[in-house]
Amino acid sequence: MVAPALAAIAQQESAEMADTMRSNGKIYVVVAVILTILAGLILYVARLDRKITRLEKGE
Amino acid sequence: MPKNWWKILCVVLLAYTVIAGLLFPVPALRQLQETIRNLYFHVCMWFAMMILFTVSVVHSIRFLSTLDLKQDIKAMNYASTGVVMGLLGYATGAIWASYTWADPNNPAYASFGSIVREPKLIGAAMALLIYFAYFVLRSSIIDIDKKARVSAVYNIFAYAMLFPSIWIIPRLLPSLHPGQEGNPALNYNDIDARMRLVFYPAVIGWTLLGVWITTLKIRLNLLKEKKWMNA
């Protein structure tokens, strides 16, 4: 997210996109990080879901 | 397993949103550049909030016609998750705006003034505060039937207030917030076809996540009620 901040100052040229991160492959690191966070949150929610299902069946 | 198909769909759509949202091509706009990708995150939060609030008010109306307390529990929980998504939308909007519209040459306190006078931000804050008041109202009434009835009526007014404060008035006033001419994200001509490919699934994915979390809260609430009554 640093790229947009820097690019915002250099506004006179045509829109600068984050091609650097894409060209050196680091964007995939960002994707991996976000997917990991998402996976962690989803697993947490799924675990809660299973716990509640078990409580409901227990009655 | 088939009963929970929508939860799996939610996970698939969210994973797609993150991967495609960051890697697929987007139009290059001068002031936004790559941050346009926030459409799949910030804007989706508001869309999900609107859908959750709609479900909430439908349950409130159903409560008023059936007086079934289960509907009241559902209405409250959908409103609760809706508020959370609204807050996330507000926070992410503040971050996005500070990197795009806010003039980097202005010291922080000066640009704060220009942001705070922004009609859409005031409208959104107003709408969220009205929903906070819904929860304050609920906690102020002890009798559960009265609480349910009064808060169901309030919910309807709160929902109605969403439209003038977030959608109508901000579009009539001069504003920096995107979407002045017509509806920015839903207008077919305004949104780039490449973005539509990720945006529509993203809205569904984030909404389904909101619904999943809400159904868990509702089930927990109903379990507690059952335990309470059987005690």
Side-chain angles (χ1 to χ4, degrees):
Chain A
M1 281 320 265
V2 177
L6 295 175
I9 300 173
Q11 275 176 44
Q12 54 279 12
E13 52 245 33
S14 65
E16 241 173 57
M17 304 297 270
D19 298 309
T20 324
M21 263 217 159
R22 247 187 297 242
S23 61
N24 65 11
K26 294 226 175 97
I27 188 71
Y28 300 107
V29 177
V30 178
V31 175
V33 166
I34 299 178
L35 281 180
T36 308
I37 294 175
L38 199 65
L41 290 172
I42 297 285
L43 286 172
Y44 176 61
V45 173
R47 188 169 146 265
L48 274 178
D49 196 326
R50 245 172 280 143
K51 219 189 252 193
I52 295 179
T53 309
R54 234 177 296 140
L55 278 173
E56 283 169 339
K57 294 226 176 89
E59 251 77 56
Chain B
M1 205 43 173
K3 193 168 67 121
N4 293 330
W5 62 273
W6 54 275
K7 298 176 185 169
I8 306 195
L9 179 66
C10 164
V11 178
V12 169
L13 288 176
L14 285 179
Y16 169 75
T17 302
V18 170
I19 298 173
L22 289 179
L23 298 176
F24 279 18
V26 286
L29 293 167
R30 191 148 340 117
Q31 213 182 3
L32 294 174
Q33 286 139 332
E34 296 279 359
T35 67
I36 189 91
R37 295 172 190 279
N38 265 331
L39 200 83
Y40 313 133
F41 304 101
H42 163 76
V43 176
C44 284
M45 287 289 113
W46 293 109
F47 270 78
M49 178 199 83
M50 284 303 300
I51 296 175
L52 292 173
F53 281 162
T54 307
V55 176
S56 172
V57 83
V58 166
H59 281 296
S60 273
I61 295 174
R62 284 175 70 184
F63 168 76
L64 288 172
S65 55
T66 63
L67 289 181
D68 176 9
L69 281 169
K70 228 190 271 189
Q71 298 295 346
D72 174 61
I73 292 177
K74 291 183 179 173
M76 182 201 79
N77 282 297
Y78 275 103
S80 164
T81 310
V83 165
V84 170
M85 301 200 106
L87 286 172
L88 286 175
Y90 211 93
T92 52
I95 298 174
W96 194 2
S98 69
Y99 279 100
T100 47
W101 333 330
D103 189 345
N105 295 320
N106 269 346
Y109 59 84
S111 57
F112 178 71
S114 63
I115 289 178
V116 143
R117 255 169 260 142
E118 170 52 52
K120 190 112 182 179
L121 291 177
I122 298 178
M126 212 166 86
L128 286 176
L129 283 171
I130 292 175
Y131 270 91
F132 288 163
Y134 168 75
F135 294 102
V136 173
L137 178 68
R138 289 188 69 95
S139 58
S140 70
I141 304 175
I142 302 176
D143 173 42
I144 48 173
D145 291 298
K146 204 182 279 187
K147 179 200 310 236
R149 255 178 301 137
V150 175
S151 57
V153 174
Y154 183 84
N155 196 355
I156 297 173
F157 283 108
Y159 182 75
M161 278 307 289
L162 285 175
F163 295 93
S165 50
I166 303 182
W167 305 107
I168 303 176
I169 306 250
R171 299 231 173 113
L172 299 174
L173 297 170
S175 153
L176 282 173
H177 193 282
Q180 276 306 90
E181 317 78 45
N183 189 318
L186 284 180
N187 183 348
Y188 213 63
N189 300 318
D190 229 8
I191 184 174
D192 189 277
R194 293 170 283 173
M195 298 199 74
R196 249 185 270 141
L197 205 61
V198 185
F199 182 63
Y200 294 162
V203 173
I204 299 173
W206 289 112
T207 306
L208 283 179
L209 184 66
V211 171
W212 190 357
I213 294 174
T214 311
T215 54
L216 287 179
K217 294 174 72 169
I218 293 172
R219 286 161 64 190
L220 209 56
N221 252 310
L222 292 174
L223 265 177
K224 259 190 259 177
E225 295 277 309
K226 228 196 313 174
K227 267 219 160 89
W228 203 74
M229 299 217 275
N230 292 342

